[in-house]
Amino acid sequence: MNLNSNCGIRTFKILIICIMTIFVSTSQAQVSTRIHNIVLVHGAFVDGSGWQQVYEILTQKGYKVSIAQPTLTTFEGDVAAVKRVVNLQDGPCILVGHSYGGAVITTAGNDSLVSGLVYIAAHAPDHGESEAGNGKSFPAAYKSLIKGNDGWDYIDPKMFASDFSGDLPKSKADFMANSQTPTADVVFHAIIQNPAWKTKPVWYMVAKSDRIINPDLERMYAKRANSVKIVEIEGASHCVYITHPQEVADLIISATDLSKKRTKGI
């Protein structure tokens, strides 16, 4: 074999090694661009157990999922409860909120560990706004809210299924109606300061048959936040996170992909 042949073989081997190195580096980069921590935040009148199916789907895919349990007593206390869970994460996380939980993550999402926000039929008020105020601008269809003389709100159990969970089986809806958590009315009037969605990327799910939050208000929130992705679920009630767990999980998973453009202008 002559010198030129030897040089050609060495050059070919070097080329193969370079290609393999690039392939391995690219594969490793793709793996490293996926966030594995997810924090789920429930809304008013319920607790974190409603996230169970979403939790199971995500954990089966290898994500580390934590469920915060706001007490629904004060807005500041609920934000602190969520931030405590965020600060337990071992790295960046995606923060997910349903309903009133959206207002909570709008503030808690300013934490440096939060890389993105996912709103599931949730409030996303701007600076100086409250969810109660926005609800007046976009009236919802529900007629079941009971305001107690002690400052605590409750959903009439007889109307819970029709207003809150219209697409759940009756037995499940009745159980939720009779196990609901009263919520302090004051939390709905909290004025948002420095909303995180102005600087963090957003993904939004609209429940098209929502009677608790007007779907048009949800659409406004999603558009105003320049959401990376907006998903509308046909026939979904306010309980969309329970009745459509796969679609909710899929949206959250899309938010964990750091390879997508995630920068936002203020």
Side-chain angles (χ1 to χ4, degrees):
M1 186 176 292
N2 59 37
L3 182 60
N4 287 337
S5 296
N6 289 334
C7 289
I9 292 171
R10 285 197 297 271
T11 300
F12 179 75
K13 288 181 177 179
I14 292 171
L15 179 61
I16 293 298
I17 292 171
C18 290
I19 292 173
M20 291 179 66
T21 301
I22 292 171
F23 176 78
V24 171
S25 298
T26 302
S27 298
Q28 291 175 340
Q30 289 175 343
V31 171
S32 65
T33 58
R34 188 169 292 277
I35 293 174
H36 76 282
N37 295 313
I38 298 168
V39 177
L40 307 175
V41 183
H42 67 80
F45 310 112
V46 295
D47 60 28
S49 63
W51 289 111
Q52 183 174 355
Q53 293 182 82
V54 174
Y55 168 89
E56 291 173 349
I57 293 170
L58 293 172
T59 54
Q60 287 171 7
K61 291 184 176 295
Y63 291 96
K64 176 181 177 291
V65 185
S66 303
I67 300 173
Q69 295 280 13
T71 64
L72 310 178
T73 302
T74 68
F75 181 75
E76 295 77 13
D78 291 343
V79 170
V82 170
K83 291 185 70 172
R84 277 193 291 272
V85 177
V86 168
N87 291 327
L88 290 174
Q89 306 308 303
D90 58 8
C93 70
I94 298 298
L95 195 52
V96 184
H98 170 251
S99 192
Y100 161 68
V104 175
I105 71 169
T106 295
T107 297
N110 286 305
D111 192 287
S112 61
L113 282 174
V114 176
S115 294
L117 304 167
V118 180
Y119 291 86
I120 307 297
H123 286 283
D126 200 350
H127 182 88
E129 293 179 352
S130 69
E131 68 168 79
N134 290 342
K136 290 179 181 178
S137 299
F138 291 81
Y142 71 87
K143 304 294 183 183
S144 54
L145 187 66
I146 297 173
K147 288 180 173 286
N149 294 328
D150 58 357
W152 292 80
D153 295 347
Y154 198 68
I155 294 178
D156 185 344
K158 297 183 181 65
M159 301 178 69
F160 190 97
S162 59
D163 278 352
F164 198 95
S165 52
D167 53 348
L168 271 178
K170 185 177 184 303
S171 60
K172 176 69 173 178
D174 287 346
F175 176 80
M176 290 181 66
N178 292 293
S179 63
Q180 64 177 292
T181 303
T183 301
D185 186 75
V186 67
V187 304
F188 302 125
H189 300 274
I191 303 299
I192 298 298
Q193 307 292 329
N194 189 28
W197 54 259
K198 287 197 170 183
T199 57
K200 305 289 177 77
V202 168
W203 288 255
Y204 201 104
M205 178 172 285
V206 175
K208 294 183 71 172
S209 295
D210 199 332
R211 292 178 58 84
I212 298 297
I213 300 178
N214 188 325
D216 285 336
L217 176 56
E218 295 175 8
R219 294 184 181 102
M220 185 278 283
Y221 283 142
K223 182 178 180 180
R224 184 172 66 178
N226 295 316
S227 300
V228 175
K229 185 175 184 180
I230 302 171
V231 176
E232 296 205 9
I233 305 298
E234 191 74 38
S237 73
H238 196 56
C239 275
V240 62
Y241 69 113
I242 299 176
T243 58
H244 294 79
Q246 187 63 61
E247 292 92 331
V248 171
D250 288 345
L251 183 62
I252 295 170
I253 289 169
S254 70
T256 68
D257 186 356
L258 285 174
S259 66
K260 296 178 181 178
K261 184 178 180 181
R262 306 173 65 86
T263 57
K264 294 194 72 171
I266 298 176

